[in-house]
């Protein structure tokens, strides 16, 4: 079991920055993959960025060069630094973690944090 709590969302103007945090209830060292997803109104949830326990990182094309995912194992926390925000980045952002249990993937989700980019 992993509980995830996101924080750091809010309202920001276009071109601004926000840093999202995802605090896990247990050590993240052994968690296979942690990531950030987002869901805008009327759209499907999409992967924004992910980082594995081996620090392999993946970004959606739409955020490459603007967003940075990182992890602090000592704090059991994953971050998403978002720079040069655009209105189309507006969404609820969810933290995800998954592990493998007896060969089966088990996903855990946070409650989400709203990010609104608007002037």
């Amino acid at each position: 079991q992993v509980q995830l709590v996101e924080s750091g969302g809010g309202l920001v103007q276009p071109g601004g920055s926000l840093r999202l945090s995802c605090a896990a209830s247990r050590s993240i060292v052994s968690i296979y993959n942690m990531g950030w997803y987002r869901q805008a109104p009327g759209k499907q949830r999409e992967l924004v960025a992910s980082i594995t326990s081996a620090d392999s990182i993946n970004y959606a094309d739409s955020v490459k060069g603007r967003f940075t995912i990182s992890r602090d194992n000592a704090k059991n926390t994953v971050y998403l630094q978002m720079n040069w925000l655009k209105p189309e980045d507006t969404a609820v952002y969810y933290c995800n973690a998954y592990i493998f249990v007896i060969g089966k993937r088990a996903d855990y989700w946070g409650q989400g944090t709203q990010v609104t980019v608007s002037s």
Side-chain angles (χ1 to χ4, degrees):
Q1 273 283 39
V2 184
Q3 280 80 46
L4 303 171
V5 179
E6 302 103 333
S7 61
L11 174 64
V12 64
Q13 291 187 341
S17 298
L18 282 174
R19 188 177 81 155
L20 305 182
S21 300
C22 172
S25 59
R26 50 161 274 192
S27 171
I28 64 172
V29 172
S30 60
I31 293 178
Y32 181 77
N33 187 89
M34 295 194 70
W36 289 95
Y37 288 71
R38 66 186 181 188
Q39 188 166 20
K43 294 189 176 181
Q44 288 190 328
R45 190 174 296 189
E46 63 175 356
L47 176 67
V48 176
S50 64
I51 182 168
T52 70
S53 55
D55 287 334
S56 176
I57 291 175
N58 182 47
Y59 293 104
D61 287 343
S62 59
V63 307
K64 282 180 181 176
R66 300 189 297 123
F67 290 10
T68 303
I69 189 170
S70 61
R71 58 195 293 159
D72 185 334
N73 291 336
K75 295 183 178 179
N76 298 331
T77 300
V78 173
Y79 302 98
L80 184 68
Q81 178 66 43
M82 305 186 295
N83 298 327
W84 298 108
L85 283 160
K86 304 176 181 180
E88 50 262 44
D89 295 318
T90 295
V92 178
Y93 284 70
Y94 297 91
C95 182
N96 167 268
Y98 69 81
I99 60 176
F100 289 95
V101 181
I102 316 176
K104 288 189 175 181
R105 173 172 163 166
D107 280 79
Y108 301 92
W109 294 91
Q111 80 288 353
T113 185
Q114 176 70 47
V115 172
T116 302
V117 185
S118 175
S119 55

